[in-house]
Amino acid sequence: MIKKLLPCIFLAGMSLAFGAEAQVYQGLGKSANFRVGPGKDNKDVPVYSFNYVTAAGIFDKDGKIINIIVDGLEVSTPNYDGESMPHFSGWPGTPGYNVADHKTGEVSGVSENNVEFIIDEVSNWKTKRERGKDYGMNPRLEWHTQMDNFQKFFKGKTVAEVEEWFKKYTSDINGRPLKMKNKDIKDQQKYDKLNDTEKKELTDLVAGATMSIKDSHGDILGAIKNAYENRVEVNIPVK
């Protein structure tokens, strides 16, 4: 999925390079996690899902992010009733799994796990960016919009600095950026320790990005770190 974005990220990175020769590093990264959930169907059968996150990055010689693009593929069992959610019902020949009706949210039958059905199911998987406004997170701030805002925020930072930012400025409970008013007392105490400049920077970010970059919905931070670990030098002569 991320290969479609490589030309864009590379050109964007090069536009920031100066001098007789641009010494930059390009890296591709990934992370994956399995999730029990989200929730159960109306027959009390668990929903299972996994998230596969990919990141493509351009880094300078000091390890600072010149440009980064992240996408994610989230796949669940067919008893999750989210209409845009990609599903995987099982291997061909295995017993069918509960299938939820997207309109009623209730189980309407079981999947037909033959070769044709599974091939069609997998062939129609869409990443979170491809799902766009149909992802269903927030009409004003969908996943791709929030991710774009995070990507802009991370530019100029090293991966280590992004990791430190995550530790200092996000909830220890759910990994989301802290807000002015937090429900958990420990999160509030963590926020209150920030100085005015730090609080202002956080407020500006939260206006466009409130999701976690490392939780059960996907390890975005891990994918970015993996991209940096996999970096290779690219020397581009500049005329």
Side-chain angles (χ1 to χ4, degrees):
M1 54 184 163
I2 204 73
K3 65 182 180 181
K4 298 178 182 178
L5 304 173
L6 285 177
C8 296
I9 187 174
F10 194 75
L11 290 173
M14 291 302 95
S15 68
L16 300 177
F18 301 92
E21 187 176 75
Q23 184 183 10
V24 298
Y25 298 81
Q26 179 178 352
L28 295 176
K30 65 182 185 302
S31 68
N33 68 283
F34 178 76
R35 180 185 180 192
V36 179
K40 297 180 179 180
D41 61 33
N42 67 309
K43 302 294 184 182
D44 205 37
V45 175
V47 172
Y48 297 100
S49 60
F50 67 82
N51 283 274
Y52 188 84
V53 182
T54 53
I58 298 291
F59 309 89
D60 70 12
K61 60 183 177 61
D62 298 316
K64 293 183 179 180
I65 296 172
I66 297 175
N67 203 37
I68 192 82
I69 295 181
V70 177
D71 200 353
L73 175 66
E74 183 178 20
V75 179
S76 78
T77 46
N79 58 335
Y80 180 68
D81 60 0
E83 188 169 5
S84 75
M85 174 77 87
H87 292 151
F88 182 64
S89 301
W91 299 105
T94 59
Y97 209 79
N98 282 0
V99 175
D101 183 282
H102 299 311
K103 294 182 179 180
T104 65
E106 298 183 351
V107 173
S108 59
V110 296
S111 59
E112 186 178 353
N113 290 0
N114 55 47
V115 174
E116 293 76 14
F117 179 85
I118 299 302
I119 288 178
D120 182 68
E121 197 171 51
V122 174
S123 297
N124 284 289
W125 285 356
K126 290 183 178 181
T127 69
K128 293 184 178 183
R129 285 192 176 279
E130 290 172 329
R131 290 163 68 183
K133 63 180 179 59
D134 295 326
Y135 183 76
M137 175 182 282
N138 183 319
R140 186 178 69 86
L141 290 173
E142 276 295 358
W143 189 94
H144 65 284
T145 302
Q146 294 197 39
M147 193 65 248
D148 287 345
N149 290 327
F150 272 123
Q151 290 168 181
K152 292 176 184 177
F153 182 73
F154 293 154
K155 288 181 181 180
K157 296 179 174 61
T158 65
V159 172
E161 288 172 337
V162 174
E163 290 181 307
E164 284 302 312
W165 174 87
F166 182 76
K167 292 179 183 178
K168 184 175 182 178
Y169 294 93
T170 68
S171 168
D172 293 329
I173 298 172
N174 56 32
R176 296 178 182 177
L178 297 170
K179 299 180 180 180
M180 185 180 296
K181 294 183 179 181
N182 302 277
K183 294 181 180 180
D184 183 80
I185 187 171
K186 291 184 178 180
D187 282 349
Q188 190 62 49
Q189 291 172 344
K190 190 175 183 180
Y191 176 85
D192 291 339
K193 291 179 181 179
L194 302 176
N195 61 41
D196 291 342
T197 301
E198 292 170 333
K199 290 177 180 178
K200 174 63 167 57
E201 182 183 76
L202 193 55
T203 298
D204 291 342
L205 174 66
V206 170
T210 61
M211 67 184 185
S212 174
I213 59 169
K214 185 177 182 179
D215 66 1
S216 61
H217 299 87
D219 187 358
I220 295 168
L221 181 58
I224 294 174
K225 182 177 181 179
N226 189 236
Y228 180 70
E229 293 170 341
N230 292 336
R231 71 195 184 281
V232 294
E233 186 175 356
V234 183
N235 292 310
I236 307 296
V238 178
K239 296 181 180 180

